[in-house]
Amino acid sequence: MPFRDRADAGRQLASRLTAYAGREDVTLLALPRGGVPVGFEIAKLLRVPLDVLIARRIVAPDNHHMTIGAVASGGVRVVDEELCRALGVSDRMVQRLADVEAREVERLERVYYGCHRAPDIRDRTLLLVDDGVATGASMRAAVTAVEQGGPAGIVIAVPVASYATYAQLSGRAREFVYCYIRDPVYSVGLWYEDYSPVSEQDVCRLLGETLDLAASRHGAAGQESSRELPSGATGLSR
């Protein structure tokens, strides 16, 4: 398999994103849950802040492996109407399924943003990260959601992508960065030796560790700045 686990995928993907390392205008937004371990490794290596953007797939009522759309924070809904017609899924059923996922998005916002505010993305360069895209429905919803926030630019970054998703989304992003691209990508999990489930607790732990790393970096930078001041200086201008 190309990736041992999501951490390995994050490290491989980070090597393709070095142009964004250490930049103060960059925020990495990972899609929970599987995108967060990938994003954590990237954020750690690039020294950029990590947060989450919540998106949920809408699956066909008789086939939970078939994605027919997605919802995301901000009331965003993306539906593959052509696929729904082919599967015979009515508009009423799509609405019902979307409402269920929208409530789950609201619940997850309370879980993941319970200890901090959702990030301000205006005028920032955003790295949107997931552990892979097959149909790309969740990533399309995520892109639509962040477009409403007025970012300076959007970079989609995934370990593996389908050609179809690349064609659909590359025009809406400054860059679409990947390690591997294939068509079709039947299941993202097939690209990993270890594709263990990621829990909500895992997501919260990684977000907390990212905040600790950021605090350590800021503390080290502050100590370095104070050492550079001449004797008796306070660092304040008059």
Side-chain angles (χ1 to χ4, degrees):
M1 298 298 171
F3 310 113
R4 290 192 301 274
D5 53 23
R6 291 181 179 89
D8 177 46
R11 289 189 290 269
Q12 291 192 42
L13 191 54
S15 69
R16 291 161 169 79
L17 293 165
T18 55
Y20 301 96
R23 284 177 41 176
E24 294 184 356
D25 65 321
V26 172
T27 294
L28 191 156
L29 296 179
L31 275 62
R33 296 185 294 238
V36 175
V38 179
F40 175 78
E41 293 296 324
I42 297 171
K44 182 170 60 175
L45 291 169
L46 299 188
R47 304 181 309 282
V48 297
L50 167 71
D51 215 306
V52 294
L53 191 148
I54 301 165
R56 294 277 301 177
R57 294 187 307 133
I58 305 170
V59 298
D62 298 323
N63 185 350
H64 288 183
H65 297 289
M66 183 71 71
T67 301
I68 59 175
V71 299
S73 295
V76 172
R77 298 189 181 192
V78 173
V79 176
D80 188 332
E81 296 179 357
E82 183 177 345
L83 180 58
C84 288
R85 286 194 296 270
L87 295 174
V89 183
S90 68
D91 291 344
R92 179 175 295 182
M93 176 59 71
V94 171
Q95 182 70 39
R96 184 181 305 166
L97 295 170
D99 287 344
V100 170
E101 297 304 332
R103 288 193 291 273
E104 180 64 6
V105 167
E106 293 175 356
R107 185 189 72 81
L108 291 173
E109 286 175 339
R110 292 192 293 272
V111 172
Y112 297 140
Y113 298 141
C115 299
H116 71 291
R117 291 184 178 182
D120 182 5
I121 63 175
R122 183 166 298 279
D123 299 326
R124 296 190 64 79
T125 296
L126 303 178
L127 307 183
L128 290 184
V129 174
D130 204 352
D131 57 7
V133 290
T135 66
S138 296
M139 186 59 76
R140 287 199 298 276
V143 169
T144 301
V146 297
E147 283 174 337
Q148 298 176 355
I154 298 170
V155 177
I156 299 170
V158 291
V160 58
S162 67
Y163 281 109
T165 299
Y166 177 83
Q168 292 168 353
L169 288 176
S170 58
R172 296 173 64 182
R174 178 183 296 175
E175 284 191 85
F176 192 124
V177 181
Y178 53 83
C179 299
Y180 298 92
I181 187 165
R182 294 288 188 276
D183 234 357
V185 176
Y186 292 108
S187 172
V188 170
L190 295 176
W191 292 77
Y192 292 82
E193 292 180 18
D194 179 359
Y195 197 63
S196 302
V198 179
S199 69
E200 293 177 9
Q201 291 75 18
D202 292 331
V203 171
C204 292
R205 175 180 56 81
L206 291 174
L207 289 174
E209 289 184 20
T210 302
L211 292 174
D212 291 341
L213 287 172
S216 298
R217 285 197 298 267
H218 288 314
Q223 291 175 5
E224 184 65 27
S225 176
S226 66
R227 284 198 294 269
E228 292 174 356
L229 290 173
S231 178
T234 64
L236 299 175
S237 60
R238 295 184 180 181

